[in-house]
Every structure is written in structure tokens, then in C-alpha cells.
Amino acid sequence: MADPLQPYNSPVHRVLQGLFDRHRECRDGNVATYIPELAKVDPEKFGICVATTDGYVYEVGDTRHPFTIQSISKPFVYGLALDDHGPETMARKVGVEPSGDAFNAISLGEEDGRPVNPMINAGAIATTGQIKSADAAARIAKILETFGLYAGRPLDIDMAVYESETRTGHRNRAIGHLLRNYDVLTDDPTPAVDVYFRQCSILVDCRDLAVMAATLANQGVNPATQQRAIRPEHVESVLSVMASCGMYDSSGGWIYEVGMPAKSGVGGGVLAVLPGQFGIGVFSPRLDTKGNSVRAIRVCADLSRAWQLHQFNPPYSAHSSLRHAYTAAEKHSTRSRRQQEVDCLWDQGRTIRVVEVQGALSLATTEPIVREILKGLAGLRSLIIDFRHVMGLNAAAAAILADLAGQLRENAVCVLFTGAAQLSEAARALVHRFGDAAAAEVFRFPSLDAGLEACEDALLRDVFAETEPRIRDVGEYEIAAGMAAEERAVFESLLTTRHFVRGEYIVRQGDEAHSLFLIAKGVVGVWTGLLVEDARRVASCSVGMMAGGMAFIDGQPRAATLLAEDDVECAVLERSDFDLLQQSHPAIYARILRNIAASLAAKLRLADMHLEVLSCRRG
Ligand code: GLU
């Protein structure tokens, strides 16, 4: 219903409303009467629902009117049986071939009596008979509970429809006995057929169908409740039999025209699944001669055309998920370093490669990344694959990335996957491909910057052969550059030494600034954000560099927190001492000021380098 205060309607809703208006006058077909109670449904009822995989439901028409699920129960019970027994056992009980026959045909294999698929009655009764439970009451309770997980609410049975089908369902009973005859059912078939009648009489509404479909679209997890209704590995089996056998003997025409896995029932419902996207439910009780709801078929066909939903017409071909590839010679980490170290990174940074990837990683989107990495292996010391912008990753993508990483590691290349923490389940698929020890190494840096910094450190350690870099002479500080010996002596006399233990705050964001810190030993992290939860490490400074220069110069409160990341030793210059220099030693004062300006300029340059690399990103 449009909200009078809200002049705009969702364009998605407007399409559904348009379809509802277009087809509501259609009165072709007839309600099912072979189950006498079904003849009583109001043939005019009509509802359309689309449920997204993030839990939103669009509804038009009679979407809350209850009706019996009938054959739409079949794929869900098949999924339950797969969860109970696995695909091999189930394959011995029921096939997966479309029959081309009517839903109630007695399509059993000639030799073994195995029903051809679980979507026809014979296959469905055989499937229901497999559900593990103590007795028939427990079995239907288990089915009801599972359906409730799919729908996200408890469901009930319409006892009038159940009793009506029990009185008239002789053909289904006959099928049950045939299944018993072939030992497909190994016990008295009566309870299995009775549970089947009950499962067909479960009451749902159009909205439930859409949410149940969205649960299948969402790998078996109900998008609203986040509860799992079926094991993820069985979803594709359920969708496959829906795609080939879900629409009675018009399944071929349906997949040809509408192109998505679906199931209909003689109660008037149709449920269709767009894997990974959304679920559709349509309800209208008048059926065509095959037993499919006339309006529902038309709505789904129109919707498939309008929204280009046909599964064999993917919206775009798989593109490479390569977001950006560069080396540490083109972009350094945010660590500010002494000039000789920066020069070394310009010179040898190409031995550290960064590959930023994005989107959903499948074989098709990951293969070009692998090719890109293989192009630049000469002299490679470190490879960082950054996952910050990855939405998900399937097992095939994980396998080829892990294989490549394994080969590189065997050749002593350091491989790091950064930014993978947010990927949760998907990343675990990748983590599992490494042994525990290897995984701890490969995933040890949550952020790309930290990973890059560590790779740079390793390179610099090798080049400068310094195990524990530290300042030995005051002239090595960047802000003492260019000072004569006697100037250095004056400068040194102003400095006091301070030590900070690992994890100690040196200054806090917002503090008044009185001092400048020159790092003699250790690494200082620069963090912004006043609360722990939004704290971000935006840069770091190592030996020889100054920290806290901005507030020292402009007298504003500290813009960032400085944190000792190792045991840190600093030479501290107090502003009051510095100010006195202006009178006593103006040349030294000017030198320091110029060097502070140069240091800040270098930081700006580093920031520009980051921006430039960001702005030429693909995608
Ligand atoms: N309970 C119905 C039957 O077995 C289901 C039929 C259907 O929806 O196709 O006859």
C-alpha cells in the first residue's frame, strides 16, 4: 500500500504492482478439485512477493492469505533427506531425471522401482519415507520445524485439507505400496504416505514462499532470522532438481522461457529462486492443465524478461577481480623513514609486489589475478595479496590462490594475505588450505599497510644489515641535517632522553603540545580516533624521524596519538627551549625550522603518493 506521506514508491515495488495490475483480470484455468477441500479456495486471490537475500520483502496483493503448500513441499523435504543421508544414499532411493510425465504419474524405474525424481509424487513419497525420525509423528514434526526455519516463523497444518486428501488420495497410497513392493520403502508405506499428505497440507502464504526461496538463494540461511535451514552443500542439489523437474511436465518450457529453478503446487503457489540474489513467491489458485498456476507462470515469465533474470543470461561476464597491482617502489607504506631508507625503497621496492583484489572471487575472476602475479616473478622477495575489498571467495578460487602461494613460499618468497579478517567464513576456506603454522604466517597482518611495512622492514634489514637500528650521533636525526659540528653540540644540549615501553602512549590526541619527539630507537605508531573502536593507525615513524611535529609547530592540540610499538627511546626537544634559540642561535633555529618543514613536506609527499595510487585504481 502506498504511503500517502511518501510521494515516491520503490521502482522495484512499482514493477511488481504493474505485473499484479496486468494479470489480475486473467481468469484462465481452474482451481484444483481432485482434493475436494482445495475446490473451496477463493480463485480470485492473487499475491506477488520478492524477498531479497538481505532480508527485505516486497509484497503486492494477497500476500498474507494462507493456502496449502502442496508440491512445493517436495524440494524442501528432499533437502532434509539429503541432510539426513547425503547424496549417495539418496541417489539409491530416487533419481534426478525429469520424467516428462504428470505429477501423479507412476514413474518408477523398470528394474529397481526407483522413482525418476523427487518432484513427482512417487519420488516425493519415497523421499518423505527416508526422513530420519522415531515415528511418523516425529517425522512430520521435523518437517514442520524445518519448513519453519525456511519461512522464519512456525507453520501449521490445514487439517481439513489433510483429511480431504487422506479420504481421496488412493493413487498416492497405491504409489506407496508400489514403492514398498520394490523395497524403495522398506516398511509399511502407510505412515510415509500419511506424512506426505500432512506435509502437502502445511499452510503458508505468498510471503512465506518468497522467504523460503530467498533462504535457498542465500545458501540455506534465512535472510531475516539468519538461521540455517539446510546444509549449504545440498542447496545446489535441491535447486538442480527444481530446475529440471520443478514445474511438472512443463519444466522444459519453464527453464527455456523463465530460466530459474522453481516449484509449483496445486494449491496455487509458485516459488522461484535466483541463486545469490533473491526469492520469488506468487500465489493464484487457478491452474493450467499441467497443474501450474496460470497467473503465477505469467508473472514469473514477465518478471524474468523485465529484470533479465534468466540464469543462462548472466548480467555480465566474469571480469578480473584485480583492483590494482603495484610495487613498493611505486607506493611505500605509511611509515616515515630516513632518506637513505627511502632511497633504498625507490631502488629495490620493485621486489615487493602488492596485488589488491576485489569483488567475488571465483575461478573466472581469480585466474586473471594469478596470471598477473605470474608475470612479475623475477627477483620477487614478497607478495602481498590484499583482500580488503573482497566480498567472498569460493573453494575453487581459494584452491588456486593457495596453490600459487605454496609454490612461491617453496621458493622463499614471503606471501601475505592482508585484509582478510572481515571475510569470516569465506576466508576460512583459504586459511584451511594452509597448515596452521603457515596460516599464522601468511595471515599475520590484518592491514595492507602493516604487511607492506613489514616487507619493507625485511628488505631494509637485509640491505643495511642492521639488526636493531638506533641513532648513535645527534647528526643522524633528520631535523639535524646540515648542522655544523658546533651547532649539533648546541642542539644536543637542548635534548633530554626519554624511554617508553612497548604499548605506552607518548602523547594522546587532543593533548596540549609542548614537545617534539626524535626517535632514537624503536617504532612509533601514529593513531587517530578518540575511542578505541574507531582508532586507526594512520602512519608510523622509525629511527631518526621526528614525531609530533605538526602540533609542535602550530601550537594546536595533538591531532593524533603516538604509541610506542617497541621499547622506544626518544630525544625530546621542548618548545620553550626551542623558542629561546631564536634569540641565542638564530641560525640553528632557522635550520631546525627548515628541517621540520622538510620533514612535514616528505609526509605530505607520502600522502600524495597514496592518493595517486588510489586514484588510478581500476573498477
Ligand atoms: N498433495 C498433492 C498430491 O499429491 C500435491 C500435488 C501437487 O501439488 O502437485 O496429489
Side-chain angles (χ1 to χ4, degrees):
M1 187 65 84
D3 177 348
L5 297 177
Q6 163 59 282
Y8 300 108
N9 256 319
S10 157
V12 175
H13 187 272
R14 280 158 61 86
V15 168
L16 301 181
Q17 184 68 53
L19 289 178
F20 181 84
D21 296 340
R22 183 179 321 154
H23 295 295
R24 78 193 306 173
E25 298 309 323
C26 164
R27 298 204 162 70
D28 297 349
N30 297 296
V31 303
T33 52
Y34 76 100
I35 300 173
E37 196 65 21
L38 287 185
K40 295 183 185 165
V41 301
D42 176 354
E44 288 304 322
K45 291 288 183 221
F46 186 21
I48 306 174
C49 270
V50 168
T52 67
T53 44
D54 66 357
Y56 189 81
V57 185
Y58 293 93
E59 300 183 55
V60 176
D62 303 311
T63 56
R64 307 293 176 109
H65 182 80
F67 56 91
T68 52
I69 192 166
Q70 298 299 338
S71 261
I72 303 173
S73 61
K74 294 170 182 172
F76 298 101
V77 175
Y78 181 57
L80 187 54
L82 286 171
D83 274 2
D84 273 358
H85 298 281
E88 289 80 25
T89 306
M90 281 310 293
R92 286 197 290 276
K93 294 292 179 186
V94 55
V96 290
E97 293 301 332
S99 70
D101 297 331
F103 69 99
N104 59 0
I106 304 178
S107 304
L108 305 179
E110 271 173 30
E111 276 158 27
D112 55 4
R114 195 179 64 136
V116 287
N117 70 63
M119 301 293 107
I120 53 165
N121 288 4
I125 293 166
T127 303
T128 299
Q130 306 310 314
I131 303 302
K132 280 187 186 160
S133 59
D135 54 26
R139 187 174 283 170
I140 186 62
K142 184 168 166 182
I143 291 172
L144 263 173
E145 193 195 327
T146 303
F147 283 25
L149 290 174
Y150 278 103
R153 70 180 186 104
L155 300 174
D156 289 319
I157 293 174
D158 182 329
M159 290 311 286
V161 172
Y162 157 70
E163 277 156 18
S164 180
E165 186 163 11
T166 304
R167 278 193 298 277
T168 53
H170 308 300
R171 191 180 173 93
N172 283 331
R173 261 192 287 275
I175 289 173
H177 283 284
L178 273 174
L179 292 170
R180 175 70 192 90
N181 174 63
Y182 283 109
D183 274 339
V184 175
L185 292 177
T186 46
D187 286 331
D188 175 8
T190 310
V193 175
D194 182 67
V195 171
Y196 170 76
F197 288 154
R198 288 175 196 265
Q199 84 183 43
C200 288
S201 305
I202 292 175
L203 278 170
V204 289
D205 60 28
C206 182
R207 188 179 203 278
D208 294 326
L209 290 188
V211 174
M212 293 172 88
T215 301
L216 286 174
N218 194 35
Q219 282 291 303
V221 174
N222 181 303
T225 65
Q226 293 302 320
Q227 283 192 293
R228 178 165 288 289
I230 174 174
R231 301 238 299 261
E233 63 268 30
H234 296 143
V235 171
E236 70 181 29
S237 308
V238 170
L239 293 180
S240 300
V241 289
M242 287 169 66
S244 57
C245 321
M247 300 299 282
Y248 304 117
D249 38 340
S250 26
S251 296
W254 167 275
I255 204 73
Y256 186 88
E257 193 180 357
V258 184
M260 45 187 142
K263 186 70 200 89
S264 67
V266 294
V270 167
L271 162 156
V273 180
L274 264 293
Q277 302 178 49
F278 44 81
I280 300 171
V282 187
F283 168 57
S284 170
R286 288 196 190 90
L287 311 178
D288 64 16
T289 50
K290 307 273 171 90
N292 293 315
S293 163
V294 177
R295 282 176 180 157
I297 293 236
R298 293 186 187 172
V299 166
C300 290
D302 285 358
L303 200 57
S304 174
R305 258 191 303 279
W307 284 350
Q308 298 180 281
L309 303 179
H310 200 294
Q311 289 292 279
F312 298 147
N313 179 19
Y316 39 76
S317 57
H319 283 298
S320 163
S321 281
L322 185 64
R323 183 178 170 89
H324 201 54
Y326 48 89
T327 73
E330 295 156 80
K331 181 187 169 224
H332 312 160
S333 72
T334 55
R335 168 81 73 83
S336 62
R337 302 181 185 274
R338 280 181 286 177
Q339 195 54 46
Q340 70 260 38
E341 295 173 333
V342 174
D343 290 345
C344 173
L345 291 179
W346 288 124
D347 190 44
Q348 301 197 32
R350 69 194 171 314
T351 59
I352 302 171
R353 295 192 72 204
V354 179
V355 176
E356 294 184 24
V357 294
Q358 65 184 5
L361 302 188
S362 60
L363 188 90
T365 59
T366 307
E367 177 275 333
I369 295 170
V370 168
R371 222 177 324 133
E372 169 71 26
I373 294 171
L374 288 173
K375 270 199 305 207
L377 294 184
L380 190 68
R381 296 174 55 106
S382 311
L383 172 70
I384 301 177
I385 302 176
D386 184 55
F387 266 42
R388 210 172 2 150
H389 300 281
V390 169
M391 323 284 299
L393 142 117
N394 70 11
I400 60 167
L401 285 174
D403 179 76
L404 181 65
Q407 292 186 52
L408 291 172
R409 281 164 55 79
E410 275 172 28
N411 285 291
V413 175
C414 161
V415 179
L416 299 175
F417 287 92
T418 56
Q422 96 287 0
L423 272 181
S424 59
E425 227 176 292
R428 259 177 262 137
L430 183 58
V431 177
H432 286 325
R433 303 224 159 231
F434 296 89
D436 284 351
E441 263 183 51
V442 166
F443 292 93
R444 70 183 182 276
F445 295 104
S447 80
L448 167 58
D449 194 48
L452 186 52
E453 206 173 312
C455 294
E456 292 170 352
D457 279 347
L459 171 66
L460 296 171
R461 252 196 320 274
D462 284 0
V463 171
F464 293 103
E466 276 180 313
T467 41
E468 217 193 348
R470 64 158 300 134
I471 292 292
R472 304 192 187 274
D473 182 280
V474 77
E476 294 174 46
Y477 289 118
E478 57 168 349
I479 72 162
M483 284 184 194
E486 60 282 11
E487 290 177 326
R488 286 206 297 270
V490 173
F491 175 53
E492 190 164 17
S493 70
L494 300 178
L495 303 176
T496 49
T497 302
R498 282 182 65 187
H499 290 94
F500 300 91
V501 294
R502 184 195 175 95
E504 189 177 345
Y505 290 112
I506 300 172
V507 301
R508 295 208 196 214
Q509 185 172 340
D511 285 356
E512 271 184 51
H514 305 292
S515 12
L516 183 69
F517 298 88
L518 312 179
I519 303 165
K521 183 172 143 299
V523 174
V524 172
V526 182
W527 291 72
T528 60
L530 283 174
L531 300 172
V532 172
E533 56 272 24
D534 16 87
R536 267 173 60 93
R537 183 179 186 268
V538 289
S540 58
C541 313
S542 49
V543 169
M545 312 308 289
M546 67 169 197
M550 256 165 42
F552 184 78
I553 286 296
D554 67 10
Q556 298 287 316
R558 295 283 181 200
T561 295
L562 300 178
L563 185 75
E565 293 190 353
D566 303 312
D567 289 341
V568 166
E569 183 185 315
C570 286
V572 182
L573 175 64
E574 295 301 333
R575 168 116 44 60
S576 49
D577 294 332
F578 178 58
D579 288 345
L580 291 177
L581 274 183
Q582 194 168 7
Q583 295 299 325
S584 61
H585 297 86
I588 303 181
Y589 180 81
R591 166 77 61 197
I592 294 176
L593 216 47
R594 194 169 332 122
N595 286 343
I596 292 178
S599 171
L600 292 176
K603 285 186 181 134
L604 261 185
R605 261 200 210 107
L606 193 60
D608 281 350
M609 178 204 283
H610 279 253
L611 281 181
E612 192 170 326
V613 167
L614 280 176
S615 66
C616 58
R617 269 190 182 145
R618 298 160 195 214

